[in-house]
């Protein structure tokens, strides 16, 4: 339940050395999923096999609506796959669990609760508010929203709301954070600062992170590994390891080269 | 141009202290109430109505009050904002009293027994206040029992209908079918189903208030953003939490719409409910006096009912504003 790890481990990359009890390994095996619509069957995921190491930060990159979000919902346990398996540390995922928390593109804060109560909702739902309530102030400080504890969601900007959503996840000390285009709707400056904050939170807490994005630069700045998906039904078309140490610069020559490689794999001309 | 501007400023400078010294609307209200009092006192009634002098006295007291207020309000240290806000209304009420007085008691254009001058209503309050009070108490008991049991059942049914597909499958068609049935159509059934007519009356009031609450609550729970449930489930919420902490607070704005509708319907149904062998009650009072063509009594009771209903609406509004504080700025 440690909030912060030994600083000596904070500059780790994909080796997972710091990963202990506070993160989990995630395995997708021959995973396929389809939705039954009234008039037809819509296949969204096609034979996905992917292993995520404990404490690893993996970005899932692909065209909009290709099925990446469905992959996160399966990992969160909100849905069951049509075929194949999803396991955490070798055990099949049967349902939602606060160890694996999903953060959506929309902050989806409960509008009738203040920021503090929104963050507390996970602890409250599990009856842990008394024993772990002190974590709320801690988390508020980490997302730099101490002054907004009693504000209602409609009083917050988009970036602040998304920070609350992340805080609402982190207060439960998740072992896996599933991020579904969390910065997709924010302006570019807010996005830059939140990306940096997310990276710091990940380093400090040591959770495994799975980030869905269609922003190539975001994937390269944050992730240890970038998985490229095809259009629907989604298949894995490429996998790129990013070994560059943090902090990364977006104009770094290696990253620029990787960016061009990824854009080509996504079917976009590299000189965009 | 600049000359004109300075002229304007001069005018303001000259008139500002004057209009500041007197509350103009208060003065006009005093005038309109004074006219009503004078008319009532000075002109002879076409037929005797009872409390004519008392009404003249009361309106004269009103006129004196507004005259005093017109002089005092501008000198108050704190701003009498509410009084000022309703200034035009006070003027209009005075004019209304004067016209009402003229057309009924003084000129007889609106004849007895269908119309009553203000002193006719006043006469009812003065002579029949004890019976009216008892009626208010009886109605309060019937309404309270009916309304609160109705909204409790309606709310619970609404949550169940909005939450559970199976409940909705069986419940929704039934609710839509019985929803538009007028209350009086239930009377034969209720006589058979309930041990006493009082229980039957409670049932009618409960039905009138419960059905809109059930329909609106069901719609509200059904419309809750599914993403809230997903978020709550990943945070470790069980079904109980989803219902009590997500579905209900999220649908509360809808529930309040249902409560307002239920409140109005419950008042509308009181007359019918008190047809079932009631011995007292405002609805009973209305019917009894209608039967005897005592329309002054009917109007007097209607005003009491309207005031009580308006007071309850106001209470409900303040409750809503407290519970739905989080909506401020969204709407």
């Amino acid at each position: 339940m440690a909030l912060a790890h030994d600083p000596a481990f904070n500059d780790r990359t994909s080796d997972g050395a710091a990963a202990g009890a506070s993160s989990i390994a995630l395995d997708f095996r021959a995973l396929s999923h389809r939705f039954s619509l009234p008039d037809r069957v819509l296949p969204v995921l096609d034979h996905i096999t992917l292993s995520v190491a404990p404490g690893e930060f993996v970005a899932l990159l692909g065209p909009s609506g290709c099925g990446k979000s469905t992959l996160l919902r399966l990992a969160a346990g909100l849905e069951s796959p049509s075929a194949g398996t999803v396991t955490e540390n070798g055990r099949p995922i049967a349902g939602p669990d606060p160890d694996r928390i999903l953060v959506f593109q929309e902050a989806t804060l409960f509008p009738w609760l203040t920021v503090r109560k929104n963050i507390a909702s996970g602890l409250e739902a599990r009856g842990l508010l008394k024993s772990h309530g002190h974590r709320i102030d801690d988390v508020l400080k980490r997302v730099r929203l101490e002054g907004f504890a009693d504000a209602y969601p409609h009083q917050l900007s988009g970036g602040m709301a998304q920070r609350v959503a992340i805080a609402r996840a982190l207060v439960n000390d998740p072992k896996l954070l599933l991020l579904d285009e969390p910065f997709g709707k924010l302006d570019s400056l807010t996005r830059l600062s939140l990306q940096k904050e997310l990276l710091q939170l990940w380093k400090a807490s040591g959770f495994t992170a799975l980030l869905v994005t269609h922003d190539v630069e975001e994937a390269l700045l944050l992730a240890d590994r970038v998985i490229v998906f095809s259009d629907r039904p989604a298949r894995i078309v490429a996998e790129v390891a990013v070994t560059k140490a943090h902090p990364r610069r977006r104009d770094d020559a290696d990253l620029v080269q990787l960016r061009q490689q990824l854009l080509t794999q996504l079917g976009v001309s590299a000189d965009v | 141009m600049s000359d004109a501007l300075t002229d304007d400023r001069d005018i303001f400078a000259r008139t500002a202290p004057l209009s500041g010294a007197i509350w103009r609307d208060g003065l006009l209200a005093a005038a309109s109430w004074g006219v009503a009092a004078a008319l009532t006192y000075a002109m002879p009634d076409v037929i005797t109505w009872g409390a004519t002098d008392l009404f003249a006295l009361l309106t004269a007291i009103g006129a004196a009050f507004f005259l005093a207020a017109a002089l005092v309000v501008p000198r108050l240290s704190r701003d009498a904002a509410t009084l000022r806000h309703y200034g035009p209304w006070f003027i209009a009420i005075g004019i209304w009293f004067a016209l009402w007085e003229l057309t009924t008691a003084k000129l007889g254009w609106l004849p007895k027994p269908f119309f009553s001058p203000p002193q006719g209503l006043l006469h009812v309050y003065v002579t029949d206040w004890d019976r009216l009070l008892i009626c208010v108490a009886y109605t309060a008991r019937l309404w309270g029992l009916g309304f609160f049991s109705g909204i409790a059942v309606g709310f619970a049914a609404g949550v169940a209908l909005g939450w559970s597909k199976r409940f909705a499958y069986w419940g929704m068609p039934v609710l839509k079918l019985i929803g538009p049935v007028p209350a009086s159509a239930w009377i034969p059934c209720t006589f058979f189903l309930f041990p006493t007519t009082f229980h039957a009356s409670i049932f009618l009031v409960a039905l009138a208030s419960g059905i809109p609450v059930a329909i609106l609550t069901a719609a509200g729970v059904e419309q809750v953003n599914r993403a809230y449930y997903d978020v709550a489930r990943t945070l470790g919420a069980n079904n109980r939490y989803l219902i009590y902490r997500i579905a209900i607070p999220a649908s509360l704005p809808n529930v309040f719409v249902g409560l307002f509708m239920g409140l109005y319907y419950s008042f509308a149904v009181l007359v019918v409910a008190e047809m079932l062998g009631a011995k007292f009650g405002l609805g009973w009072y209305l019917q009894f006096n209608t039967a005897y063509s005592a329309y002054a009594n009917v109007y007097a009771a209607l005003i009491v009912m309207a005031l009580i209903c308006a007071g309850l609406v106001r209470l409900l509004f303040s409750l809503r504003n407290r519970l739905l504080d989080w909506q401020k700025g969204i709407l």
Side-chain angles (χ1 to χ4, degrees):
Chain A
M1 284 302 241
L3 265 179
H5 281 267
D6 188 329
F9 290 119
N10 277 1
D11 57 351
R12 81 214 147 82
T13 48
S14 61
D15 57 6
S22 66
S23 60
I24 57 170
L26 195 64
D27 269 289
F28 302 94
R29 286 265 162 275
L31 187 77
S32 293
H33 196 67
R34 48 189 171 272
F35 290 121
S36 299
L37 301 180
D39 51 337
R40 66 207 157 95
V41 172
L42 184 73
V44 284
L45 295 172
D46 186 18
H47 275 84
I48 306 286
T49 295
L50 172 67
S51 292
V52 181
E56 194 180 11
F57 197 133
V58 174
L60 310 178
L61 194 63
S64 284
C66 76
K68 301 166 303 214
S69 302
T70 308
L71 201 65
L72 291 197
R73 292 179 65 83
L74 292 169
L78 287 171
E79 279 172 58
S80 304
S82 309
T85 56
V86 195
T87 57
E88 56 167 328
N89 296 337
R91 289 187 309 276
I93 287 173
D97 187 294
D99 276 351
R100 300 173 255 111
I101 294 189
L102 189 51
V103 175
F104 296 85
Q105 179 173 17
E106 309 274 353
T108 331
L109 302 179
F110 305 128
W112 56 89
L113 297 179
T114 59
V115 166
R116 173 183 297 280
K117 286 185 174 163
N118 259 287
I119 295 175
S121 53
L123 297 175
E124 197 200 358
R126 290 188 288 150
L128 296 176
L129 202 51
K130 279 231 173 79
S131 54
H132 291 70
H134 61 275
R135 298 176 57 100
I136 295 168
D137 285 311
D138 205 5
V139 168
L140 270 169
K141 212 172 290 165
R142 281 165 64 195
V143 297
R144 298 188 290 113
L145 284 172
E146 304 98 312
F148 292 88
D150 297 318
Y152 279 102
H154 71 82
Q155 297 167 310
L156 305 177
S157 70
M160 286 156 78
Q162 200 54 273
R163 295 220 295 271
V164 176
I166 291 170
R168 182 172 62 178
L170 290 182
V171 77
N172 301 288
D173 201 16
K175 296 180 174 132
L176 170 66
L177 197 59
L178 302 156
L179 301 142
D180 191 356
E181 297 189 27
F183 314 131
K185 287 220 167 152
L186 305 178
D187 64 90
S188 51
L189 288 175
T190 311
R191 191 182 315 158
L192 290 181
S193 65
L194 277 188
Q195 285 167 350
K196 222 164 99 186
E197 283 177 38
L198 175 64
L199 205 60
Q200 282 159 359
L201 291 169
W202 169 65
K203 282 185 175 180
S205 308
F207 48 78
T208 310
L210 211 52
L211 169 78
V212 159
T213 180
H214 53 237
D215 180 345
V216 178
E217 282 188 4
E218 181 170 283
L220 288 172
L221 274 177
L222 299 176
D224 298 326
R225 195 147 56 104
V226 180
I227 315 287
V228 182
F229 285 85
S230 71
D231 215 339
R232 198 176 54 226
R235 284 170 295 102
I236 295 177
V237 292
E239 200 180 309
V240 175
V242 188
T243 48
K244 202 87 192 169
H246 293 290
R248 295 173 185 166
R249 291 174 57 90
R250 48 189 61 225
D251 54 1
D252 182 278
D254 296 339
L255 292 186
V256 169
Q257 201 189 339
L258 278 177
R259 173 173 174 268
Q260 284 172 347
Q261 184 191 335
L262 286 172
L263 282 173
T264 314
Q265 267 148 351
L266 282 166
V268 185
S269 161
D271 45 56
V272 173
Chain B
M1 256 325 242
S2 63
D3 278 353
L5 268 178
T6 46
D7 276 359
D8 276 353
R9 221 173 292 142
D10 278 349
I11 288 167
F12 276 120
R14 239 174 285 135
T15 54
L18 246 181
S19 65
I22 286 175
W23 175 41
R24 196 181 55 106
D25 284 350
L27 201 63
L28 290 172
S32 70
W33 285 61
V35 168
L39 278 175
T40 311
Y41 188 73
M43 289 175 72
D45 285 0
V46 184
I47 336 168
T48 30
W49 274 104
T52 304
D53 290 346
L54 181 61
F55 182 69
L57 181 66
L58 286 178
T59 38
I61 290 173
F65 169 78
F66 287 122
L67 188 63
L71 297 170
V72 171
V73 163
R75 284 168 188 76
L76 288 179
S77 50
R78 61 196 176 84
D79 194 28
T82 320
L83 205 63
R84 283 178 185 275
H85 176 77
Y86 287 107
W89 265 106
F90 297 138
I91 304 171
I93 290 170
I95 295 172
W96 166 251
F97 278 155
L99 290 176
W100 186 6
E101 191 65 40
L102 274 177
T103 50
T104 53
K106 304 306 179 190
L107 300 174
W109 292 347
L110 301 173
K112 204 176 181 180
F114 307 107
F115 295 94
S116 163
Q119 58 262 45
L121 303 193
L122 196 60
H123 181 70
V124 173
Y125 293 131
V126 170
T127 55
D128 215 14
W129 62 271
D130 44 352
R131 197 202 302 247
L132 268 170
L133 265 182
I134 293 171
C135 285
V136 167
Y138 270 79
T139 297
R141 183 179 62 152
L142 169 63
W143 178 84
L145 288 169
F147 181 75
F148 288 108
S149 61
I151 61 170
V153 174
F155 177 72
V159 172
L161 288 166
W163 180 260
S164 148
K165 288 238 162 27
R166 193 177 305 167
F167 246 105
Y169 174 82
W170 292 106
M172 255 348 216
V174 175
L175 194 62
K176 280 178 184 157
L177 215 61
I178 65 171
V181 174
S184 48
W186 289 100
I187 291 175
C189 296
T190 54
F191 271 137
F192 180 75
L193 289 171
F194 292 94
T196 69
T197 51
F198 182 59
H199 287 91
S201 305
I202 293 174
F203 172 75
L204 289 185
V205 176
L207 203 64
S209 36
I211 283 176
V213 173
I215 292 177
L216 268 294
T217 305
V221 172
E222 223 170 355
Q223 284 163 13
V224 173
N225 186 352
R226 302 283 131 187
Y228 293 148
Y229 296 136
D230 285 345
V231 170
R233 283 171 67 206
T234 66
L235 292 173
N238 55 15
N239 265 346
R240 198 185 146 78
Y241 189 93
L242 292 184
I243 294 174
Y244 288 100
R245 296 311 186 85
I246 308 290
I248 289 178
S251 59
L252 218 50
N254 262 35
V255 174
F256 267 96
V257 176
L259 285 175
F260 279 110
M261 289 170 67
L263 181 60
Y264 282 120
Y265 289 161
S266 68
F267 263 77
V269 87
L270 274 179
V271 180
V272 177
E274 285 176 343
M275 264 159 58
L276 310 181
K279 287 178 193 70
F280 281 107
L282 286 170
W284 167 86
Y285 191 89
L286 289 178
Q287 292 168 63
F288 181 85
N289 286 296
T290 309
Y292 283 92
S293 299
Y295 292 111
N297 297 61
V298 174
Y299 296 134
L302 275 176
I303 289 173
V304 171
M305 253 176 132
L307 288 178
I308 293 173
C309 188
L312 288 168
V313 167
R314 215 186 155 116
L315 261 178
L316 197 55
F317 259 112
S318 60
L319 180 69
R320 190 194 70 160
N321 290 344
R322 278 182 68 151
L323 285 178
L324 299 185
D325 198 31
W326 54 270
Q327 271 195 319
K328 252 184 229 160
I330 298 179
L331 296 178

